[in-house]
Amino acid sequence: MATIRLGDKAPNFTANSSFGTIDFYEYLEDGWGILFSHPADFTPVCTTELGTAAKFKTEFDKRNVKMIALSVDSAESHLEWIKDINEVQNTEVNFPIIADEDRQVSDLYDMIHPNADSTLTVRSVFIIAPDKTVKLILTYPASTGRNFYELIRVIDSLQLTAYHKVATPANWNNGEKVVVSPAIPTKEAKEIFTKGVEEIKPYLRMTPDPTV
Ligand code: BEZ
């Protein structure tokens, strides 16, 4: 197991899932991807997370992000659990859940943290760009469900900053002012960002979101 860091190529794998056998790269095609792990099937927090993820699928689709979850139980178990999730969360789980019974993918992505739990995965999140590089890694403990608004927010930031010479400030949300990339001198920034550049400090320049 090698540690995966930002900028690394996301390792490919073939795994069984609630949708049958999946080749990760083929599943992602040329779009973005989000891979997120769950400690186990039929657990309460995971049930709320997967129901919430299903409700957010249209938001991920709009951003060309393919969702794929993982739990270390079997595909048969996942299919039974999905019935419960759909019932109690009033939704339809409409993306695959990897059945990582042999921990192949969990080990590849370092999702088991033995000092937290020797067998179950923690709540890992990997966001992967179209060139298959890892752009974001998050790790939550089993006791804390993830915030899907935050995942969408960070995808908006990753996609904006991939194509424009900007960064996004604390608590930024889509459409709000952004920070001019520190590498760009203010004179050049004023030529690039025609909506205006506000120089608060020589190193802190704000500009309207260039995409709105
Ligand atoms: C849960 O998803 O509810 C959960 C799973 C493992 C440990 C604690 C909570």
Side-chain angles (χ1 to χ4, degrees):
M1 183 265 310
T3 305
I4 298 173
R5 294 183 175 155
L6 299 189
D8 290 354
K9 195 70 95 181
N12 194 23
F13 56 81
T14 302
N16 195 16
S17 82
S18 55
F19 280 21
T21 303
I22 282 188
D23 176 283
F24 188 44
Y25 277 16
E26 278 177 20
Y27 173 72
L28 294 179
E29 297 178 312
D30 295 328
W32 291 72
I34 181 165
L35 166 66
F36 48 101
S37 60
H38 296 274
D41 290 6
F42 300 101
T43 50
V45 176
C46 298
T47 299
T48 65
E49 282 192 317
L50 281 166
T52 303
K55 289 174 188 161
F56 271 73
K57 185 166 182 294
T58 49
E59 292 302 317
F60 287 103
D61 286 347
K62 271 190 224 164
R63 292 159 176 85
N64 192 26
V65 181
K66 287 266 189 76
M67 307 164 76
I68 186 162
L70 175 149
S71 174
V72 293
D73 294 304
S74 67
E76 293 71 31
S77 165
H78 290 354
L79 292 171
E80 283 306 307
W81 184 32
I82 286 168
K83 289 183 199 163
D84 278 6
I85 299 167
N86 291 346
E87 178 197 329
V88 302
Q89 294 286 304
N90 193 24
T91 189
E92 203 158 309
V93 173
N94 37 20
F95 52 84
I97 307 175
I98 295 165
D100 196 33
E101 286 181 283
D102 61 3
R103 276 63 167 168
Q104 181 221 158
V105 181
S106 309
D107 284 343
L108 193 60
Y109 277 80
D110 195 18
M111 291 166 165
I112 295 175
H113 296 198
N115 292 329
D117 190 297
S118 58
T119 53
L120 303 180
T121 53
V122 291
R123 298 184 196 281
S124 297
V125 181
F126 293 86
I127 295 178
I128 296 158
D131 66 359
K132 308 292 183 288
T133 56
V134 175
K135 294 295 180 188
L136 178 102
I137 302 171
L138 288 170
T139 308
Y140 283 62
S143 52
T144 305
R146 284 156 286 203
N147 184 327
F148 283 77
Y149 293 104
E150 170 59 8
L151 297 179
I152 292 293
R153 191 192 77 87
V154 80
I155 287 166
D156 284 340
S157 172
L158 290 170
Q159 294 188 339
L160 178 68
T161 60
Y163 305 113
H164 298 273
K165 292 175 176 173
V166 297
T168 60
N171 291 344
W172 174 86
N173 278 300
N174 212 0
E176 294 176 359
K177 277 185 185 174
V178 296
V179 168
V180 174
S181 174
I184 305 175
T186 300
K187 186 168 174 289
E188 190 186 329
K190 286 181 176 164
E191 288 160 14
I192 297 172
F193 302 108
T194 51
K195 291 178 188 161
V197 174
E198 179 192 358
E199 189 180 75
I200 299 164
K201 290 281 180 190
Y203 59 85
L204 174 58
R205 290 86 40 87
M206 306 297 293
T207 189
D209 180 334
T211 64
V212 294

